[in-house]
Amino acid sequence: MNTGVEAGETACKLARRWGYRVKNIPDNEAVIVFAEGNFWGRTLSAISASTDPVSYEAFGPYMPGFHVIPYNNLAALEEACKHPNVCAFMVEPIQGEAGILVPDEGYLRGVRDICTRYNVLFVADEIQTGLGRTGRRLCCDHDGVRPDIVTLGKALSGGFLPVSAVLADNEVMNEIKPGEHGSTYGGNPLACQVAMAALDVLEEEGLSERSERLGQRLRQELRAQLPADIVPCVRGKGLMNALVIAPEYDAWEVCLQLKDAGLLAKPTHGDIIRLAPPLVMTDDQLTTCVRIIADTIASFKKSH
């Protein structure tokens, strides 16, 4: 496919088709479960799964057969999966747009166990977290779990061309036959060649290992240098991290000052700053990033 949201749409189609053909769910009654705070795009299907009014408001009616449960809540997932018409649970291993929400230790292992016991497909949305971003090839590798469907994008081309992918075993993938699904530019030769080159770089330059090492250093140094009354929380994995800003400060204003100092970061939900530097960054560049962040936060402390 071309975009991350197309990969998500394809995963949903695969899950529904598998549900009807393999799990024998009655026609047009398949249910896909999602987690609150999810973000996987802006198509009608994606916003139908969203709990963010900015994404879904005034775009209805919405896609039927979508059910939303709390993120990082295995009891809620098990209760949902008891319904015989549930075909899949689609979840981000770490929620990106929601503010780099890292689930409890063992959450993904619990997801895998519940999905297996109730014959539900575990769909891992690794569009943001995959391909080295969190310090592993896939974020699910931290927990040693293997999803039934994986979606990839973004880093799949090194940010150079639109290309995304959906991975699944034959039992799932082959339920959609040739001619039953496609995309105008999906699988085009240039994008695929770029994707293969990006994957080679990921492996040959050890970018997952670099992400793990630099991410640990980044969080350690930020936690040591940032005042807890302004930044009460630094969280993340690998080079996918966030600063939580105290309510009396504005994350947007902090990001504007960071930009002026030479560092780009993205605010979300008013009090969170997302940090996702390139996986090829050097140790010296990380040192510079920490200094800029620390100096900028210190300037806010002085002004209050």
Side-chain angles (χ1 to χ4, degrees):
M1 318 306 327
N2 309 290
T3 62
V5 73
E6 283 184 89
E9 294 268 4
T10 302
C12 290
K13 288 181 70 175
L14 277 169
R16 282 183 167 182
R17 175 60 66 85
W18 175 89
Y20 296 129
R21 298 287 173 80
V22 177
K23 193 173 179 178
N24 296 316
I25 295 172
D27 285 349
N28 300 319
E29 294 185 18
V31 174
I32 300 176
V33 179
F34 298 87
E36 290 177 357
N38 74 79
F39 181 86
W40 54 279
R42 300 192 185 276
T43 61
L44 284 173
S45 289
I47 65 166
S48 296
S50 175
T51 54
D52 184 354
V54 174
S55 290
Y56 68 76
E57 202 166 64
F59 290 120
Y62 305 107
M63 177 72 71
F66 285 4
H67 178 65
V68 179
I69 63 171
Y71 184 62
N72 193 28
N73 188 323
L74 292 175
L77 175 61
E78 180 156 20
E79 188 62 31
C81 288
K82 290 177 181 177
H83 195 292
N85 292 348
V86 172
C87 62
F89 175 50
M90 182 169 165
V91 65
E92 299 159 85
I94 294 174
Q95 287 193 328
E97 190 69 22
I100 318 299
L101 296 183
V102 181
D104 294 339
E105 179 69 27
Y107 173 67
L108 295 179
R109 291 192 293 274
V111 169
R112 176 68 278 173
D113 175 64
I114 291 169
C115 288
T116 299
R117 284 192 284 115
Y118 290 95
N119 196 26
V120 169
L121 297 179
F122 172 13
V123 182
D125 175 2
E126 294 258 17
I127 302 293
Q128 289 197 51
T129 57
L131 303 178
R133 172 53 55 187
T134 70
R136 299 288 190 278
R137 289 188 186 92
L138 298 178
C139 189
C140 287
D141 293 343
H142 285 283
D143 281 54
V145 296
R146 189 175 190 269
D148 300 293
I149 299 176
V150 175
T151 60
L152 296 174
K154 295 189 185 298
L156 185 55
S157 72
F160 185 70
L161 283 177
V163 60
S164 60
V166 179
L167 312 180
D169 287 337
N170 287 342
E171 179 194 6
V172 175
M173 190 70 78
N174 288 348
E175 289 304 318
I176 292 184
K177 308 303 181 186
E180 294 180 343
H181 181 67
S183 175
T184 301
Y185 293 104
N188 76 83
L190 179 58
C192 289
Q193 189 65 44
V194 169
M196 288 189 289
L199 291 173
D200 286 342
V201 169
L202 185 74
E203 292 300 306
E204 292 169 3
E205 298 188 13
L207 297 187
S208 295
E209 294 79 7
R210 175 189 291 267
S211 174
E212 175 73 8
R213 179 177 61 82
L214 292 180
Q216 288 184 6
R217 183 186 153 204
L218 176 65
R219 290 185 297 278
Q220 181 181 28
E221 294 188 12
L222 289 177
R223 287 165 180 159
Q225 297 187 37
L226 300 183
D229 57 335
I230 300 180
V231 183
C233 178
V234 177
R235 64 184 179 226
K237 283 188 177 180
L239 287 175
M240 185 176 186
N241 297 282
L243 310 178
V244 179
I245 304 298
E248 60 267 34
Y249 300 92
D250 185 349
W252 174 254
E253 291 300 324
V254 176
C255 286
L256 290 179
Q257 290 207 24
L258 288 171
K259 175 183 70 70
D260 291 341
L263 188 145
L264 296 179
K266 186 179 186 299
T268 184
H269 296 284
D271 65 339
I272 299 168
I273 297 174
R274 291 193 289 173
L275 303 172
L279 303 187
V280 295
M281 77 181 305
T282 65
D283 283 273
D284 287 345
Q285 289 168 335
L286 187 142
T287 298
T288 301
C289 289
V290 171
R291 176 182 55 77
I292 291 173
I293 294 169
D295 289 349
T296 300
I297 295 297
S299 72
F300 275 82
K301 190 173 182 68
K302 292 175 184 177
S303 64
H304 274 66

